[in-house]
Amino acid sequence: MKAVPLLDLKRQFQYMEAELMEALRRCLDHQRWILGPEVEEFEEAARSYLRVSNAIGVASGTDALVVALRALAIKIKGREYFDPADEIITTPFTFTATGDAILRAGATPVFVDIDPLSFNLNPERMGEYLENHAERVVGILPVHLYGNPCQMDQIMELAEAYGLFVVEDVAQAFGGEWEGRKLGTIGTVGAFSFFPTKNLGGWGDGGLVVTDDEELAEIIRMLGRHGGRDKYNAEHIGYNSRLDTFQAAILKVKLKHVDEFNKRRRQIAALYEKGFSTFESVELPHFQGGHVFHQYTIRIKKGNRDKAREHLKQRAVATAVYYPLCLHQMSLFLGRCRMAGSLREAERATKEVLSLPMDPLLEEKEVAYVVSTLREVLT
Ligand SMILES: *Cc1c(COP(=O)(O)O)cnc(C)c1O
């Protein structure tokens, strides 16, 4: 067996090479690199796919989060930034950018523990924090980690009860759904990333902000374009954060394949699930309808994770640990965050999780090889 990669972008390129090359050729011909026609075409395609009234391209998923939060500060508080007394609830078990965006918008992240089955924010724990500290909290930032939908009905109920905004971090869940609605369109704003390895990935950085709120959409659009409706007459402290024409051209092609690829990811997840069904020391992901398996992440108990990982590496199976540290354990967040009680489950997850190869074009025999190789060290 050849090496099994975590993800194989070369296979994906070859799979749709002709369409991609044609889209690129079109860009080379028109040479309109900044906000060229493909950007609007892609935004339109994304709006219709996600069934949302505004979709605004930005330069990265991180920027999508930052401009979404900044726009909310401007709309709700009438100020450019939140201030540190304003709290935003989020998960400590996520990529750095989620919490960093809260700091960059001027607010304080409040970390609430995760649910051990879904790896996502635990709504009960969130409710407990809100019961005692509601007056400080302005919003909730749930992350659909690994492509697995958060409990959006409970999150939206809390948001409504306490008058909070919800910014969904949909970086890992393009195409995912919660009760028939696309993730990213349930909260006030959704922030997507098109980092190359995401379920919908470009050939460089890119991001998208979506919302049904027209006023917010207008502010978001301004923030990404130097802070004004007209870039020679700014109103806000803005950024130069636009989706590249070139990336939009690639993404427009790849968007057509995203459902097919997400379906294939679910099939691979089902193969893994069958393969691991007899393993006692492996805990499998909690299957949820609408999960798009950005990662297929298992738990390996009893301190055996690193041993298993090393064995897989010896046998040329690539794996990853998302994430080896929680946000509250990083020096960046020291003294800049609040912890809503114990974050025990998030901390335990960092020691047990292992993400296995997950690529829409992974072959059945590769999945079988990963399972049998893991069987050599675990039962
Ligand atoms: C990738 C990612 C981001 C950031 O996206 P970039 O496009 O890399 O800036 C934010 N949040 C989560 C959960 C991510 O996985």
Side-chain angles (χ1 to χ4, degrees):
M1 174 63 68
K2 283 192 311 219
V4 186
L6 205 55
L7 177 77
D8 192 345
L9 292 175
K10 277 189 221 153
R11 279 187 218 184
Q12 293 189 25
F13 171 55
Q14 283 155 8
Y15 187 78
M16 50 184 106
E17 181 168 350
E19 290 167 273
L20 288 165
M21 294 312 279
E22 194 187 309
L24 283 187
R25 181 71 236 178
R26 196 177 155 222
C27 296
L28 294 172
D29 286 337
H30 68 54
Q31 291 286 318
R32 291 165 61 190
W33 299 113
I34 304 297
L35 299 178
E38 284 81 1
V39 175
E40 230 170 81
E41 289 164 17
F42 172 69
E43 287 176 347
E44 166 63 37
R47 267 202 303 277
S48 125
Y49 176 86
L50 297 166
R51 301 185 301 272
V52 67
S53 50
N54 298 279
I56 302 136
V58 290
S60 70
T62 306
D63 280 7
L65 288 166
V66 173
V67 298
L69 294 171
R70 290 267 330 272
L72 282 156
I74 292 169
K75 184 183 166 186
I76 298 168
K77 306 207 65 168
R79 289 205 246 128
E80 291 293 314
Y81 295 91
F82 287 110
D83 67 68
D86 297 320
E87 296 183 348
I88 298 175
I89 291 176
T90 194
T91 165
F93 192 58
T94 178
F95 180 56
T96 322
T98 310
D100 180 43
I102 295 175
L103 293 176
R104 286 168 60 188
T108 297
V110 176
F111 296 120
V112 168
D113 208 3
I114 58 167
D115 160 27
L117 289 176
S118 68
F119 298 107
N120 284 328
L121 268 177
N122 182 329
E124 277 77 43
R125 301 292 313 279
M126 216 180 333
E128 289 162 22
Y129 186 80
L130 284 165
E131 258 177 45
N132 300 307
H133 306 285
E135 70 291 347
R136 304 203 291 240
V137 181
V138 292
I140 308 172
L141 205 172
V143 180
H144 305 291
L145 197 73
Y146 308 143
N148 191 21
C150 291
Q151 297 291 323
M152 287 312 290
D153 46 0
Q154 282 169 281
I155 292 174
M156 295 313 290
E157 256 171 50
L158 287 171
E160 268 157 46
Y162 291 98
L164 311 174
F165 64 75
V166 175
V167 173
E168 292 175 72
D169 182 337
V170 223
Q172 302 188 2
F174 195 100
E177 292 185 359
W178 173 261
E179 287 171 1
R181 289 174 72 186
K182 290 279 187 245
L183 299 179
T185 67
I186 303 161
T188 324
V189 187
F192 291 93
S193 162
F194 303 129
F195 186 83
T197 61
K198 303 287 159 99
N199 286 36
L200 178 60
W203 288 355
D205 283 306
L208 189 77
V209 193
V210 303
T211 181
D212 283 320
D213 181 321
E214 301 298 324
E215 186 187 345
L216 274 178
E218 195 180 5
I219 305 171
I220 289 163
R221 210 170 271 282
M222 283 196 271
L223 288 177
R225 288 155 181 67
H226 302 283
R229 287 177 185 82
D230 169 354
K231 74 173 167 182
Y232 303 113
N233 183 10
E235 291 166 52
H236 297 289
I237 304 173
Y239 308 90
N240 176 0
S241 185
R242 300 167 294 217
L243 182 62
D244 277 338
T245 300
F246 182 88
Q247 300 305 341
I250 303 295
L251 292 165
K252 215 180 107 198
V253 171
K254 293 182 84 175
L255 178 61
K256 291 187 216 143
H257 296 278
V258 84
D259 280 345
E260 167 199 346
F261 275 14
N262 282 342
K263 183 172 166 209
R264 191 58 201 135
R265 285 172 185 271
R266 286 192 199 102
Q267 288 167 346
I268 292 162
L271 287 175
Y272 273 133
E273 189 176 54
K274 212 165 118 210
F276 291 133
S277 59
T278 57
F279 281 49
E280 272 169 27
S281 52
V282 170
E283 206 177 286
L284 302 176
H286 188 58
F287 253 101
Q288 177 108 267
H291 194 328
V292 287
F293 290 96
H294 173 58
Q295 299 296 339
Y296 187 85
T297 304
I298 60 175
R299 275 183 198 267
I300 298 178
K301 308 270 201 177
K302 304 190 195 98
N304 283 329
R305 194 258 321 262
D306 294 335
K307 186 179 85 184
R309 191 174 185 207
E310 185 53 35
H311 180 74
L312 289 167
K313 190 177 159 198
Q314 296 302 325
R315 305 292 161 97
V317 175
T319 60
V321 172
Y322 302 118
Y323 295 91
L325 270 186
C326 291
L327 265 47
H328 65 279
Q329 296 170 317
M330 296 181 187
S331 59
L332 164 63
F333 294 97
L334 254 180
R336 298 194 175 101
C337 72
R338 208 179 275 276
M339 286 177 260
S342 141
L343 303 176
R344 192 184 317 125
E345 288 301 341
E347 288 170 12
R348 182 165 71 91
T350 64
K351 299 189 181 78
E352 295 180 350
V353 291
L354 188 67
S355 296
L356 301 177
M358 174 49 87
D359 184 288
L361 301 174
L362 211 60
E363 290 169 24
E364 217 161 300
K365 64 174 192 288
E366 291 177 302
V367 176
Y369 178 72
V370 176
V371 173
S372 65
T373 307
L374 204 50
R375 194 184 297 279
E376 292 162 6
V377 274
L378 300 173
T379 49

